Amino acid sequence: MRVCQLRQKEVINICTCKSLGVPFDLEFDEKTGCVTAIIVPIPGKICGFFGPVSEYVIPFECIKQIGEDIILVEIKEEKFLKKS
């Protein structure tokens, strides 16, 4: 799977059945080259124009399934919400 294909999938939290948005970026381990997390910006908060810049940093182990259209994650949203 390519990163551009990943960006087209909606991230759904299975704990709340809530859409978190779409992945914007990935975090890699520099030594191993493995993906460690996906970065999902808060919907409606684009470049700080519509509010403070916030994003979900979701560890790869929290991803339960990647399907054709969605990525299912299991997280406590407040724990993985990062504010700049």
Side-chain angles (χ1 to χ4, degrees), residues 9-58:
K9 299 178 187 298
E10 188 173 7
V11 178
I12 306 290
N13 185 358
I14 60 175
C15 294
T16 61
C17 298
K18 177 181 168 187
S19 171
L20 302 179
V22 294
F24 179 73
D25 206 355
L26 298 174
E27 219 174 66
F28 288 91
D29 182 320
E30 294 175 5
K31 294 178 183 173
T32 65
C34 294
V35 176
T36 57
I38 60 173
I39 312 297
V40 180
I42 302 296
K45 311 284 188 190
I46 302 169
C47 300
F49 291 122
F50 302 110
V53 177
S54 300
E55 60 193 14
Y56 293 106
V57 179
I58 303 169

